[in-house]
Every structure is written in structure tokens, then in C-alpha cells.
């Protein structure tokens, strides 16, 4: 296997890790409006992800940096062609981070309520737009002979990509719901399990339609296996949730995300951005990659740094592993 193939796999792993981890905290952000009945329950939900949300975003920074270094042509075409949706995602992530930090800086209810509203919208919008972006990456966009995107932002809002956005939004919300059931106690835990069933059924229908469309469009035997694993894991996750096995439900919802993202990258390879104008103009792992020397240096750095990142992030989750409920929330709002 060539180094550019290795880095395609590594970037796929980074995006998978990002969607697995950031997926549930996007979902929890959405639940602040869908599940919480009062401000105390909103604070419970926010506290479940409070210690980890910023660490989860490290995976996005690493995925973006690795794409820039390993596949500069891919990075240039992607970030110029998808400029507006990626800018919206970036702004949402900035506001979201500020909302987490500033929400408790003042005691007024209106101040905190406004920041909680910001958390909801800045969780929902990126959860949708990431699906739209990856739907276009897999399905293909208008790339000319100079390897530049020549379409418009409206070309990105096609039926396949919009369906992909609905899938990521509902799947992340389901992932966040089972995470909430795993991390909370009391009435909110029971209601999270009930909501997980409803959201999970909607997710199953949308995900099946999207993955079957993907398979029919550009799939092969390997992607078909990933499709079956994704759908089966989602079904078993729903069963585990109904049985009150929150740990298994969360793990299996994570397997669904991993298998679904793996399927997208399997159907994409050896392309990194297919051209809908001419297949010969597609960006591939060969014509979009950096020099072999650059990839070699990156491989050594990744081999040293990745275990360190995994260790400290795993330690963080271990430290903050216990459940919380409204009884753990102080009565004062500040």
C-alpha cells in the first residue's frame, strides 16, 4: 500500500472519530430543546458534555490539518468550493464554544436562556451541514480540468446531499439521546430512552434510504458489508435501548456511525472528490497528494502523537464517567 493510500485511510479514521465523538455532543445540544423540560434539565444535559466537547473537536482540527498536509489539492478544492457551508459550520462552532463558556458568567435567566438557545442551533446546523458536505463529496461535484470547483452553492443543495444532511442530523441526535440515557439518572434518563426509540426509528428509515442510494450509485462488495453492519447495529441499538442496556445502545449507535462513514469512504476510494463533469477530472489519492517525503514525515509524526492523544482523551472520559441528574445541580443559577 502506497503512503497516499495510508493517509486516505488515516483521514477516514479521523473523520470517523470526529463524527463518533462530536456526534453525541451535537445530539445533546439538540436535546436541550427536544428533551429538557426546564432549565435545570438543560443544565444536566450541558454538564454531561461539558468536560469533553472541546476535546472532541480536536478530531476535526486534526482531520482538516491532515487533509491540508497530505492532500493539498483536495483541501484547496474542497474549502474553496464548499466555502459558504464550511464557513457557516465554523461560525457555529465558534458561537457554540463561546456559549458553553459564557452561559454561566452572569446570573440573569435571560442571559443564560439566550446562550442555551445558541447551543441548540449551533448544534443542529453543523449536524445537518456535515451530512450535506459529505454527501456532495461522495456523490461528486462540478470539477473542471484544472481540478477546481466550478459549481455554485445551490448545486450543493441536491436531493442526495440534503438526504445525507437529514441522516447525520437524526443519527447524531439518536447518538446523543442514548448517550444522555447512559449519563443521567432519574426521570430525564427514562424520557431519553423513550425519545431514543422515536428518533431511532426515523433515523433507520432515512439512513437505509441514503445508504442504499449510495450503494446503488457507486458501491461494491466492501461497501455493501459496511451498509449491512450499519443497519444491523442501528436495529440492535434500538433493541438494547428498549431493554435498558444504555451502554450497549450507545456502543452500537457508535458502530452505526463508524460503519456508515466507512461505507462512504469505501465508495469514494480511490477518488477524494469525483467530478460530475468528466471522470478524468476527478481528484484522486494520486493526483491530489503531497510528495512521498512529506507523507513519510507525517507518518512518523502521527505514529508518535496519536497514542498520546488517545491516552489523554480516554483518561478524560474515565474521570468524568459517572451519571448526573437534577439533584446534582445547584439551586443558584450562577
Amino acid at each position: 500500500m502506497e503512503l497516499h493510500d495510508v493517509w486516505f485511510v488515516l483521514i477516514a479514521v479521523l473523520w470517523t472519530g470526529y463524527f463518533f465523538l462530536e456526534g453525541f455532543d451535537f445530539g445533546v445540544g439538540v436535546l436541550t430543546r427536544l428533551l429538557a423540560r426546564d432549565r435545570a434539565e438543560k443544565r444536566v444535559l450541558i454538564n454531561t458534555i461539558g468536560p469533553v466537547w472541546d476535546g472532541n473537536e480536536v478530531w476535526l482540527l486534526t482531520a482538516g490539518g491532515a487533509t491540508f498536509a497530505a492532500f493539498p489539492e483536495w483541501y484547496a478544492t474542497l474549502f474553496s468550493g464548499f466555502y459558504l457551508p464550511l464557513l457557516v459550520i465554523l461560525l457555529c462552532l465558534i458561537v457554540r464554544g463561546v456559549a458553553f463558556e459564557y452561559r454561566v458568567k452572569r446570573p440573569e435567566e435571560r442571559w443564560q436562556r439566550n446562550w442555551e438557545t445558541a447551543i441548540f442551533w449551533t448544534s443542529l446546523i453543523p449536524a445537518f451541514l456535515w451530512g450535506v458536505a459529505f454527501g456532495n463529496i461522495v456523490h461528486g461535484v462540478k470539477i473542471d480540468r484544472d481540478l477546481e470547483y466550478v459549481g455554485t452553492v445551490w448545486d450543493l443543495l441536491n436531493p442526495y446531499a440534503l438526504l445525507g444532511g437529514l441522516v447525520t442530523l437524526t443519527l447524531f441526535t439518536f447518538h446523543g439521546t442514548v448517550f444522555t440515557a447512559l449519563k443521567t439518572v432519574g426521570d430525564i434518563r427514562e424520557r431519553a430512552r423513550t425519545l431514543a426509540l422515536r428518533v431511532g426509528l426515523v433515523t433507520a428509515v432515512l439512513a437505509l434510504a441514503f445508504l442504499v442510494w449510495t450503494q446503488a450509485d457507486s458501491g461494491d462488495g466492501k461497501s455493501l458489508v459496511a451498509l449491512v453492519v450499519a443497519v444491523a447495529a442501528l436495529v440492535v441499538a434500538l433493541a438494547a435501548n428498549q431493554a435498558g442496556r444504555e451502554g450497549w445502545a450507545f456502543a452500537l449507535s457508535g458502530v452505526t456511525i463508524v460503519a456508515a462513514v466507512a461505507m462512504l469512504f469505501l465508495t469514494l476510494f480511490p477518488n477524494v472528490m469525483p467530478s460530475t463533469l468528466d471522470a478524468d477530472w476527478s481528484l484522486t489519492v494520486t493526483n491530489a497528494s503531497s510528495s512521498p517525503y512529506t507523507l513519510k514525515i507525517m507518518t512518523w509524526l502521527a505514529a508518535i502523537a496519536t497514542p498520546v492523544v488517545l491516552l489523554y482523551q480516554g483518561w478524560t472520559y474515565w474521570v468524568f464517567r459517572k451519571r448526573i441528574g437534577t439533584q446534582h445541580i445547584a439551586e443558584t443559577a450562577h
Side-chain angles (χ1 to χ4, degrees):
M1 181 181 288
E2 299 290 337
L3 279 179
H4 51 65
D5 296 332
V6 171
W7 273 97
F8 179 85
V9 174
L10 290 176
I11 288 172
V13 171
L14 290 171
W15 280 111
T16 302
Y18 174 67
F19 287 143
F20 180 97
L21 296 171
E22 189 86 311
F24 72 74
D25 72 45
F26 279 150
V28 172
V30 173
L31 292 180
T32 58
R33 183 69 63 89
L34 298 183
L35 181 64
R37 288 178 173 174
D38 52 37
R39 296 202 57 253
E41 290 190 348
K42 286 184 180 181
R43 293 170 66 193
V44 168
L45 292 174
I46 293 172
N47 285 352
T48 63
I49 59 174
V52 298
W53 68 267
D54 47 356
N56 294 344
E57 292 187 355
V58 169
W59 290 78
L60 172 62
L61 299 175
T62 308
T67 303
F68 172 77
F71 299 100
E73 288 285 354
W74 184 12
Y75 182 93
T77 303
L78 174 64
F79 279 77
S80 60
F82 292 21
Y83 180 81
L84 183 57
L86 292 177
L87 177 63
V88 172
I89 290 174
L90 177 61
L91 291 175
C92 284
L93 295 180
I94 292 172
V95 173
R96 190 169 183 262
V98 172
F100 281 127
E101 299 297 333
Y102 275 53
R103 181 181 59 89
V104 294
K105 297 301 182 183
R106 289 173 56 179
E108 293 89 347
E109 181 177 345
R110 182 178 178 182
W111 169 273
Q112 297 190 8
R113 186 173 62 248
N114 288 341
W115 285 118
E116 288 162 0
T117 300
I119 290 172
F120 169 77
W121 286 110
T122 56
S123 298
L124 184 148
I125 293 172
F128 175 74
L129 288 180
W130 278 126
V132 173
F134 269 82
N136 279 290
I137 291 172
V138 173
H139 194 60
V141 291
K142 295 179 179 178
I143 298 176
D144 65 9
R145 65 173 67 251
D146 297 320
L147 306 182
E148 295 180 358
Y149 177 71
V150 293
T152 67
V153 67
W154 303 111
D155 293 322
L156 303 178
L157 303 178
N158 56 78
Y160 177 82
L162 292 174
L163 178 59
L166 292 176
V167 170
T168 52
L169 175 58
T170 55
L171 181 55
F172 291 169
T173 304
F174 174 70
H175 197 40
T177 309
V178 293
F179 176 79
T180 299
L182 177 65
K183 287 288 293 179
T184 57
V185 293
D187 181 57
I188 192 171
R189 174 188 178 188
E190 298 302 320
R191 284 188 284 112
R193 286 171 51 192
T194 301
L195 182 60
L197 176 62
R198 298 172 183 172
V199 176
L201 291 174
V202 175
T203 302
V205 173
L206 294 174
L208 181 61
F210 179 74
L211 295 179
V212 168
W213 189 345
T214 304
Q215 179 66 25
D217 189 43
S218 53
D220 57 14
K222 294 178 181 178
S223 62
L224 180 60
V225 172
L227 186 157
V228 172
V229 171
V231 174
L234 182 55
V235 171
V236 180
L238 286 169
N241 174 73
Q242 285 302 100
R245 303 297 297 271
E246 291 102 342
W248 280 105
F250 177 71
L252 288 164
S253 70
V255 171
T256 302
I257 293 175
V258 170
V261 176
M263 180 186 177
L264 295 182
F265 276 93
L266 285 169
T267 58
L268 186 60
F269 185 81
N271 295 320
V272 293
M273 283 188 75
S275 172
T276 57
L277 300 179
D278 189 323
D280 292 335
W281 299 345
S282 298
L283 288 169
T284 68
V285 293
T286 303
N287 65 17
S289 70
S290 294
S291 67
Y293 182 74
T294 299
L295 296 178
K296 184 177 180 180
I297 296 298
M298 290 176 61
T299 303
W300 280 106
L301 292 175
I304 296 170
T306 302
V308 177
V309 173
L310 293 175
L311 283 172
Y312 79 67
Q313 194 160 25
W315 177 79
T316 302
Y317 277 92
W318 174 256
V319 170
F320 296 101
R321 66 189 181 277
K322 293 186 177 180
R323 297 176 183 265
I324 63 172
T326 52
Q327 66 271 29
H328 301 115
I329 303 297
E331 291 184 4
T332 55
H334 185 54

